[in-house]
Protein backbone atom coordinates (compact mmCIF):
# COMPACT_ATOMS: atom_id res chain seq x y z
CA UNK A 1 0.00 0.00 0.00
CA UNK A 2 2.85 2.39 0.87
CA UNK A 3 4.48 1.65 -2.47
CA UNK A 4 1.25 2.38 -4.37
CA UNK A 5 0.74 5.66 -2.51
CA UNK A 6 4.35 6.75 -3.25
CA UNK A 7 3.97 5.88 -6.95
CA UNK A 8 0.71 7.84 -7.25
CA UNK A 9 2.30 10.85 -5.53
CA UNK A 10 5.21 10.68 -7.97
CA UNK A 11 2.84 10.63 -10.96
CA UNK A 12 0.97 13.63 -9.54
CA UNK A 13 4.19 15.65 -9.16
CA UNK A 14 5.40 14.82 -12.69
CA UNK A 15 2.08 15.84 -14.19
CA UNK A 16 2.30 19.21 -12.43
CA UNK A 17 5.83 19.83 -13.73
CA UNK A 18 4.85 18.88 -17.27
CA UNK A 19 1.84 21.16 -17.03
CA UNK A 20 3.94 24.13 -15.84
CA UNK A 21 6.53 23.62 -18.59
CA UNK A 22 3.83 23.55 -21.24
CA UNK A 23 2.57 26.87 -19.94
CA UNK A 24 6.10 28.41 -20.00
CA UNK A 25 6.63 27.85 -23.73
CA UNK A 26 3.85 30.20 -24.81
CA UNK A 27 5.02 32.70 -22.17
CA UNK A 28 8.60 32.78 -23.57
CA UNK A 29 7.31 33.10 -27.09
CA UNK A 30 5.04 35.90 -25.95
CA UNK A 31 7.97 37.81 -24.42
CA UNK A 32 10.00 37.45 -27.59
CA UNK A 33 7.06 38.73 -29.60
CA UNK A 34 6.72 41.77 -27.32
CA UNK A 35 10.43 42.56 -27.67
CA UNK A 36 10.23 42.32 -31.45
CA UNK A 37 7.18 44.56 -31.44
CA UNK A 38 8.99 47.11 -29.25
CA UNK A 39 12.01 47.13 -31.58
CA UNK A 40 9.70 47.56 -34.56
CA UNK A 41 7.95 50.49 -32.86
CA UNK A 42 11.30 52.01 -31.93
CA UNK A 43 12.57 51.75 -35.52
CA UNK A 44 9.30 53.06 -36.95
CA UNK A 45 9.27 56.16 -34.75
CA UNK A 46 12.91 56.80 -35.64
CA UNK A 47 12.03 56.65 -39.35
CA UNK A 48 9.04 58.95 -38.86
CA UNK A 49 11.23 61.40 -36.93
CA UNK A 50 13.96 61.35 -39.58
CA UNK A 51 11.47 61.96 -42.40
CA UNK A 52 9.78 64.75 -40.44
CA UNK A 53 13.15 66.39 -39.81
CA UNK A 54 13.98 66.27 -43.53
CA UNK A 55 10.62 67.92 -44.28
CA UNK A 56 11.26 70.62 -41.68
CA UNK A 57 8.47 69.41 -39.38
CA UNK A 58 10.50 69.88 -36.22
CA UNK A 59 7.73 69.36 -33.65
CA UNK A 60 6.67 66.11 -35.31
CA UNK A 61 10.31 64.97 -35.38
CA UNK A 62 10.84 65.84 -31.72
CA UNK A 63 7.66 63.99 -30.71
CA UNK A 64 8.62 60.95 -32.81
CA UNK A 65 12.10 60.60 -31.32
CA UNK A 66 10.65 61.06 -27.82
CA UNK A 67 8.17 58.24 -28.50
CA UNK A 68 11.02 56.06 -29.76
CA UNK A 69 12.78 56.56 -26.43
CA UNK A 70 9.73 55.24 -24.55
CA UNK A 71 10.48 51.83 -26.09
CA UNK A 72 14.25 52.07 -25.52
CA UNK A 73 15.75 54.75 -23.28
CA UNK A 74 19.21 54.04 -24.74
CA UNK A 75 18.28 54.45 -28.41
CA UNK A 76 21.41 56.23 -29.66
CA UNK A 77 19.82 57.44 -32.90
CA UNK A 78 16.88 59.08 -31.12
CA UNK A 79 19.12 60.68 -28.47
CA UNK A 80 21.55 62.13 -31.04
CA UNK A 81 18.71 63.40 -33.26
CA UNK A 82 16.96 65.08 -30.33
CA UNK A 83 20.24 66.71 -29.31
CA UNK A 84 20.65 67.96 -32.89
CA UNK A 85 17.14 69.47 -32.84
CA UNK A 86 17.85 71.27 -29.55
CA UNK A 87 21.15 72.65 -30.92
CA UNK A 88 19.57 73.77 -34.15
CA UNK A 89 16.93 75.75 -32.29
CA UNK A 90 19.35 77.40 -29.87
CA UNK A 91 18.84 75.10 -26.89
CA UNK A 92 22.27 73.44 -26.57
CA UNK A 93 21.89 73.15 -22.80
CA UNK A 94 18.92 70.80 -23.26
CA UNK A 95 20.99 68.81 -25.73
CA UNK A 96 23.73 68.43 -23.13
CA UNK A 97 21.17 67.34 -20.53
CA UNK A 98 19.79 64.43 -22.56
CA UNK A 99 23.29 63.40 -23.66
CA UNK A 100 24.50 63.42 -20.06
CA UNK A 101 21.49 61.29 -19.07
CA UNK A 102 22.45 58.73 -21.71
CA UNK A 103 26.09 58.70 -20.55
CA UNK A 104 25.09 58.27 -16.91
CA UNK A 105 22.97 55.28 -17.96
CA UNK A 106 26.04 53.72 -19.57
CA UNK A 107 25.50 54.70 -23.21
CA UNK A 108 29.03 55.91 -24.00
CA UNK A 109 29.17 55.62 -27.76
CA UNK A 110 31.15 57.70 -30.24
CA UNK A 111 27.95 59.34 -31.57
CA UNK A 112 26.93 60.48 -28.07
CA UNK A 113 30.31 62.07 -27.25
CA UNK A 114 30.58 63.61 -30.71
CA UNK A 115 27.15 65.22 -30.27
CA UNK A 116 28.24 66.41 -26.82
CA UNK A 117 31.27 68.06 -28.40
CA UNK A 118 29.07 69.88 -30.95
CA UNK A 119 26.83 71.16 -28.13
CA UNK A 120 29.72 72.51 -26.04
CA UNK A 121 31.22 74.10 -29.15
CA UNK A 122 28.05 76.11 -29.80
CA UNK A 123 28.21 77.43 -26.23
CA UNK A 124 31.86 78.42 -26.64
CA UNK A 125 32.96 75.89 -24.02
CA UNK A 126 36.03 74.87 -25.96
CA UNK A 127 37.79 72.82 -23.29
CA UNK A 128 34.67 70.68 -22.73
CA UNK A 129 34.21 70.34 -26.49
CA UNK A 130 37.83 69.23 -26.87
CA UNK A 131 37.45 66.60 -24.13
CA UNK A 132 34.24 65.29 -25.71
CA UNK A 133 35.80 64.97 -29.16
CA UNK A 134 38.79 63.22 -27.61
CA UNK A 135 36.50 60.60 -26.00
CA UNK A 136 34.57 60.21 -29.26
CA UNK A 137 37.82 59.47 -31.13
CA UNK A 138 38.82 56.87 -28.54
CA UNK A 139 35.41 55.14 -28.73
CA UNK A 140 35.08 55.30 -32.54
CA UNK A 141 35.49 51.97 -34.34
CA UNK A 142 37.25 53.89 -37.10
CA UNK A 143 38.67 57.43 -36.91
CA UNK A 144 37.29 58.17 -40.37
CA UNK A 145 34.06 59.78 -39.15
CA UNK A 146 33.26 62.91 -41.25
CA UNK A 147 30.86 64.55 -38.75
CA UNK A 148 33.38 64.14 -35.95
CA UNK A 149 36.19 65.78 -37.94
CA UNK A 150 33.86 68.56 -39.04
CA UNK A 151 33.27 69.41 -35.38
CA UNK A 152 36.99 69.16 -34.61
CA UNK A 153 37.79 71.50 -37.50
CA UNK A 154 35.21 74.01 -36.28
CA UNK A 155 36.70 73.82 -32.77
CA UNK A 156 40.24 74.53 -33.94
CA UNK A 157 39.03 77.30 -36.25
CA UNK A 158 37.12 78.94 -33.40
CA UNK A 159 40.29 78.83 -31.29
CA UNK A 160 42.40 80.40 -34.04
CA UNK A 161 44.47 77.22 -34.55
CA UNK A 162 44.53 77.44 -38.34
CA UNK A 163 47.00 74.61 -39.02
CA UNK A 164 45.02 72.04 -37.04
CA UNK A 165 41.74 73.31 -38.52
CA UNK A 166 43.15 73.03 -42.04
CA UNK A 167 44.31 69.47 -41.34
CA UNK A 168 40.87 68.50 -40.01
CA UNK A 169 38.93 70.06 -42.90
CA UNK A 170 41.16 68.80 -45.72
CA UNK A 171 41.17 65.34 -44.15
CA UNK A 172 37.37 65.39 -43.91
CA UNK A 173 37.11 66.05 -47.65
CA UNK A 174 39.48 63.15 -48.31
CA UNK A 175 37.29 60.85 -46.24
CA UNK A 176 34.09 62.07 -47.93
CA UNK A 177 34.61 64.30 -51.02
CA UNK A 178 30.82 64.80 -51.27
CA UNK A 179 30.23 65.66 -47.62
CA UNK A 180 26.86 67.39 -47.08
CA UNK A 181 28.57 70.54 -45.71
CA UNK A 182 31.26 70.58 -48.40
CA UNK A 183 30.72 74.22 -49.39
CA UNK A 184 30.75 75.40 -45.75
CA UNK A 185 34.02 73.52 -45.24
CA UNK A 186 35.56 75.11 -48.36
CA UNK A 187 34.38 78.55 -47.20
CA UNK A 188 36.19 78.08 -43.89
CA UNK A 189 39.25 76.72 -45.69
CA UNK A 190 39.22 79.87 -47.84
CA UNK A 191 39.39 82.02 -44.69
CA UNK A 192 42.16 79.83 -43.23
CA UNK A 193 44.21 80.02 -46.45
CA UNK A 194 43.76 83.80 -46.43
CA UNK A 195 45.12 83.97 -42.87
CA UNK A 196 48.07 81.82 -43.98
CA UNK A 197 48.74 84.11 -46.99
CA UNK A 198 47.91 81.25 -49.40
CA UNK A 199 45.94 83.66 -51.54
CA UNK A 200 45.51 81.57 -54.69
CA UNK A 201 44.26 78.53 -52.75
CA UNK A 202 41.88 80.81 -50.90
CA UNK A 203 40.53 82.35 -54.10
CA UNK A 204 39.97 78.88 -55.60
CA UNK A 205 38.05 77.81 -52.51
CA UNK A 206 35.80 80.88 -52.60
CA UNK A 207 35.21 80.56 -56.36
CA UNK A 208 34.01 76.98 -55.84
CA UNK A 209 31.67 78.15 -53.07
CA UNK A 210 30.40 80.92 -55.34
CA UNK A 211 29.30 78.30 -57.90
CA UNK A 212 27.64 76.13 -55.23
CA UNK A 213 26.20 78.63 -52.78
CA UNK A 214 24.55 77.02 -49.74
CA UNK A 215 21.66 78.84 -48.05
CA UNK A 216 23.89 79.67 -45.07
CA UNK A 217 26.35 81.80 -47.10
CA UNK A 218 25.48 84.90 -49.11
CA UNK A 219 27.00 85.95 -52.42
CA UNK A 220 27.95 89.24 -50.76
CA UNK A 221 30.21 87.41 -48.28
CA UNK A 222 32.05 85.59 -51.06
CA UNK A 223 32.70 88.67 -53.20
CA UNK A 224 33.83 90.58 -50.12
CA UNK A 225 36.31 87.84 -49.18
CA UNK A 226 37.62 87.66 -52.77
CA UNK A 227 38.09 91.44 -52.72
CA UNK A 228 40.14 91.19 -49.51
CA UNK A 229 42.30 88.48 -51.07
CA UNK A 230 43.05 90.57 -54.15
CA UNK A 231 43.90 93.47 -51.85
CA UNK A 232 46.32 91.33 -49.87
CA UNK A 233 48.01 90.12 -53.07
CA UNK A 234 48.20 93.74 -54.39
CA UNK A 235 45.86 93.00 -57.30
CA UNK A 236 44.10 96.35 -57.09
CA UNK A 237 41.94 95.89 -60.20
CA UNK A 238 40.71 92.48 -59.06
CA UNK A 239 40.01 93.89 -55.60
CA UNK A 240 38.11 96.84 -57.05
CA UNK A 241 35.90 94.62 -59.22
CA UNK A 242 35.14 92.20 -56.36
CA UNK A 243 34.45 94.90 -53.76
CA UNK A 244 32.23 96.93 -56.10
CA UNK A 245 30.36 93.70 -56.84
CA UNK A 246 29.84 93.13 -53.11
CA UNK A 247 28.75 96.77 -52.71
CA UNK A 248 25.75 96.02 -54.95
CA UNK A 249 24.41 93.74 -52.24
CA UNK A 250 25.16 96.10 -49.31
CA UNK A 251 25.34 99.66 -50.55
CA UNK A 252 25.68 101.15 -47.07
CA UNK A 253 28.35 98.87 -45.66
CA UNK A 254 31.08 101.13 -44.14
CA UNK A 255 33.72 98.40 -44.31
CA UNK A 256 33.38 97.98 -48.07
CA UNK A 257 33.31 101.75 -48.62
CA UNK A 258 36.47 102.17 -46.52
CA UNK A 259 38.28 99.42 -48.40
CA UNK A 260 37.32 100.95 -51.74
CA UNK A 261 38.52 104.32 -50.48
CA UNK A 262 41.86 102.75 -49.55
CA UNK A 263 42.12 101.13 -53.00
CA UNK A 264 41.50 104.33 -54.93
CA UNK A 265 43.86 106.36 -52.71
CA UNK A 266 46.72 103.95 -53.41
CA UNK A 267 46.14 103.73 -57.18
CA UNK A 268 47.98 106.96 -57.96
CA UNK A 269 45.94 109.09 -60.36
CA UNK A 270 44.28 112.31 -59.19
CA UNK A 271 40.88 111.12 -60.40
CA UNK A 272 41.20 107.87 -58.45
CA UNK A 273 42.14 109.75 -55.28
CA UNK A 274 39.07 111.97 -55.64
CA UNK A 275 36.95 108.82 -55.94
CA UNK A 276 38.70 107.41 -52.87
CA UNK A 277 37.83 110.53 -50.85
CA UNK A 278 34.19 110.20 -51.91
CA UNK A 279 34.08 106.58 -50.74
CA UNK A 280 35.67 107.48 -47.39
CA UNK A 281 33.23 110.35 -46.81
CA UNK A 282 30.38 107.97 -47.66
CA UNK A 283 31.74 105.48 -45.11
CA UNK A 284 31.95 108.17 -42.40
CA UNK A 285 28.41 109.33 -43.12
CA UNK A 286 27.29 105.83 -42.09
CA UNK A 287 29.79 105.22 -39.27
CA UNK A 288 31.45 108.40 -38.00
CA UNK A 289 33.43 106.35 -35.44
CA UNK A 290 35.44 104.63 -38.17
CA UNK A 291 38.90 105.76 -37.07
CA UNK A 292 40.66 104.13 -40.01
CA UNK A 293 38.54 106.11 -42.50
CA UNK A 294 39.42 109.36 -40.68
CA UNK A 295 43.10 108.40 -40.88
CA UNK A 296 42.91 107.73 -44.62
CA UNK A 297 41.17 111.06 -45.22
CA UNK A 298 43.91 112.76 -43.22
CA UNK A 299 46.48 111.17 -45.56
CA UNK A 300 44.53 112.33 -48.58
CA UNK A 301 44.26 115.94 -47.29
CA UNK A 302 47.97 115.97 -46.36
CA UNK A 303 48.82 114.89 -49.90
CA UNK A 304 46.71 117.80 -51.21
CA UNK A 305 48.39 120.19 -48.73
CA UNK A 306 45.09 120.88 -46.97
CA UNK A 307 46.85 120.96 -43.60
CA UNK A 308 43.96 122.19 -41.42
CA UNK A 309 41.63 119.45 -42.69
CA UNK A 310 44.41 116.84 -42.40
CA UNK A 311 45.18 117.84 -38.78
CA UNK A 312 41.51 117.57 -37.86
CA UNK A 313 41.17 114.11 -39.39
CA UNK A 314 44.34 112.78 -37.75
CA UNK A 315 43.18 114.00 -34.34
CA UNK A 316 39.77 112.38 -34.79
CA UNK A 317 41.47 109.14 -35.88
CA UNK A 318 43.63 109.23 -32.73
CA UNK A 319 40.54 109.76 -30.60
CA UNK A 320 39.28 106.35 -31.78
CA UNK A 321 42.69 104.65 -32.06
CA UNK A 322 45.28 106.39 -29.87
CA UNK A 323 47.74 103.47 -30.05
CA UNK A 324 48.22 103.56 -33.83
CA UNK A 325 51.87 104.50 -34.48
CA UNK A 326 51.20 105.23 -38.18
CA UNK A 327 48.76 108.01 -37.29
CA UNK A 328 51.24 109.61 -34.87
CA UNK A 329 53.97 109.40 -37.50
CA UNK A 330 51.75 111.09 -40.11
CA UNK A 331 50.81 113.80 -37.64
CA UNK A 332 54.52 114.34 -36.94
CA UNK A 333 55.17 114.73 -40.67
CA UNK A 334 52.35 117.26 -40.94
CA UNK A 335 53.77 119.33 -38.07
CA UNK A 336 57.23 119.10 -39.67
CA UNK A 337 55.91 120.42 -42.98
CA UNK A 338 54.17 123.39 -41.31
CA UNK A 339 57.31 124.04 -39.19
CA UNK A 340 55.82 123.16 -35.77
CA UNK A 341 58.96 121.32 -34.74
CA UNK A 342 58.20 120.76 -31.07
CA UNK A 343 54.80 119.22 -31.92
CA UNK A 344 56.51 117.17 -34.62
CA UNK A 345 59.09 115.85 -32.13
CA UNK A 346 56.41 114.88 -29.61
CA UNK A 347 54.43 113.02 -32.30
CA UNK A 348 57.49 111.10 -33.54
CA UNK A 349 58.47 110.13 -30.00
CA UNK A 350 54.92 108.91 -29.32
CA UNK A 351 55.04 106.83 -32.51
CA UNK A 352 58.38 105.30 -31.51
CA UNK A 353 57.03 104.31 -28.11
CA UNK A 354 54.11 102.58 -29.79
CA UNK A 355 56.13 100.93 -32.56
CA UNK A 356 59.89 100.92 -32.13
CA UNK A 357 60.37 99.14 -35.47
CA UNK A 358 58.84 101.75 -37.79
CA UNK A 359 61.79 102.71 -40.01
CA UNK A 360 60.02 105.69 -41.62
CA UNK A 361 59.50 107.24 -38.21
CA UNK A 362 63.21 107.04 -37.32
CA UNK A 363 64.14 108.62 -40.66
CA UNK A 364 61.68 111.47 -40.12
CA UNK A 365 63.04 111.99 -36.62
CA UNK A 366 66.51 112.22 -38.14
CA UNK A 367 65.32 114.90 -40.56
CA UNK A 368 63.81 116.83 -37.67
CA UNK A 369 67.05 116.68 -35.64
CA UNK A 370 69.06 117.66 -38.71
CA UNK A 371 66.85 120.69 -39.33
CA UNK A 372 67.60 121.75 -35.73
CA UNK A 373 71.39 121.16 -36.25
CA UNK A 374 71.41 118.23 -33.78
CA UNK A 375 73.64 116.20 -36.09
CA UNK A 376 74.62 113.44 -33.67
CA UNK A 377 70.98 112.69 -32.88
CA UNK A 378 70.14 112.86 -36.58
CA UNK A 379 72.88 110.37 -37.50
CA UNK A 380 71.76 107.98 -34.76
CA UNK A 381 68.18 108.14 -36.05
CA UNK A 382 69.21 107.48 -39.67
CA UNK A 383 71.38 104.57 -38.54
CA UNK A 384 68.51 103.10 -36.54
CA UNK A 385 66.21 103.36 -39.58
CA UNK A 386 68.73 101.48 -41.75
CA UNK A 387 69.22 98.79 -39.10
CA UNK A 388 65.48 98.22 -38.73
CA UNK A 389 64.91 97.97 -42.48
CA UNK A 390 68.00 97.00 -44.50
CA UNK A 391 65.86 97.32 -47.65
CA UNK A 392 64.88 100.87 -46.72
CA UNK A 393 64.79 103.57 -49.42
CA UNK A 394 68.18 104.66 -50.74
CA UNK A 395 67.54 108.15 -49.35
CA UNK A 396 67.76 106.78 -45.77
CA UNK A 397 71.12 105.12 -46.36
CA UNK A 398 72.50 108.05 -48.35
CA UNK A 399 71.37 110.52 -45.75
CA UNK A 400 73.28 108.76 -42.96
CA UNK A 401 76.45 108.96 -45.10
CA UNK A 402 75.70 112.52 -46.20
CA UNK A 403 75.34 114.10 -42.73
CA UNK A 404 79.07 114.35 -41.82
CA UNK A 405 79.85 116.38 -44.96
CA UNK A 406 77.38 119.11 -43.99
CA UNK A 407 76.40 120.07 -47.53
CA UNK A 408 73.12 121.55 -48.68
CA UNK A 409 73.08 119.49 -51.88
CA UNK A 410 70.46 116.85 -52.59
CA UNK A 411 67.61 118.87 -51.11
CA UNK A 412 65.16 116.22 -52.34
CA UNK A 413 66.41 113.93 -49.56
CA UNK A 414 65.11 116.35 -46.93
CA UNK A 415 61.48 115.41 -47.52
CA UNK A 416 59.91 113.33 -44.74
CA UNK A 417 58.67 109.82 -45.50
CA UNK A 418 55.16 108.78 -44.65
CA UNK A 419 54.60 105.19 -43.54
CA UNK A 420 53.06 103.01 -46.22
CA UNK A 421 49.28 102.97 -46.01
CA UNK A 422 48.57 99.67 -44.33
CA UNK A 423 45.77 97.53 -45.71
CA UNK A 424 42.54 97.51 -43.71
CA UNK A 425 42.75 94.87 -41.02
CA UNK A 426 40.20 92.20 -40.29
CA UNK A 427 39.16 91.71 -36.66
CA UNK A 428 41.15 88.68 -35.58
CA UNK A 429 39.95 86.31 -32.91
CA UNK A 430 42.08 85.75 -29.86
CA UNK A 431 44.04 82.57 -30.44
CA UNK A 432 43.40 79.95 -27.79
CA UNK A 433 46.16 77.41 -27.27
CA UNK A 434 44.68 73.98 -27.91
CA UNK A 435 46.71 70.75 -27.80
CA UNK A 436 46.57 68.25 -30.63
CA UNK A 437 44.15 65.39 -30.14
CA UNK A 438 45.79 62.27 -28.74
CA UNK A 439 44.41 59.98 -31.45
CA UNK A 440 46.25 60.78 -34.72
CA UNK A 441 43.99 61.78 -37.56
CA UNK A 442 43.63 59.18 -40.32
CA UNK A 443 44.77 61.54 -43.07
CA UNK A 444 48.12 62.80 -41.75
Amino acid sequence: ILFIITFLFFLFRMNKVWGDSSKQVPCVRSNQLVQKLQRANETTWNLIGTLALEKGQVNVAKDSFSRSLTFNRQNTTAIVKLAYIFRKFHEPRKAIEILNSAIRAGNEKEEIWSSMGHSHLILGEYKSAFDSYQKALILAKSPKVPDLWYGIGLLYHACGCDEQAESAFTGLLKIDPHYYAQTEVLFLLGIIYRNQAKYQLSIKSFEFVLQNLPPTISEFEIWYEIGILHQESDNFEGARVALERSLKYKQNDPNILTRLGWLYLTCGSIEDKETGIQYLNASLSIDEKNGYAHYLLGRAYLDRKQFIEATEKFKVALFYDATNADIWCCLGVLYYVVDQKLDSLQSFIRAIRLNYSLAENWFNLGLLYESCSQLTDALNSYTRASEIDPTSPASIRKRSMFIPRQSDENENMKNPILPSISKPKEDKKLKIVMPDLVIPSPFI
Side-chain angles (χ1 to χ4, degrees), residues 403-416:
I403 284 287
R405 296 204 298 269
Q406 278 300 288
S407 172
D408 288 333
E409 298 176 4
N410 296 326
E411 289 294 321
N412 61 318
M413 290 195 297
K414 290 188 178 182
N415 294 323

Side-chain angles (χ1 to χ4, degrees), residues 358-376:
L358 189 60
E360 294 90 346
N361 197 62
W362 283 104
F363 175 73
N364 294 335
L365 186 60
L367 285 179
L368 179 62
Y369 281 135
E370 186 181 354
S371 68
C372 298
S373 299
Q374 296 177 231
L375 302 182
T376 302

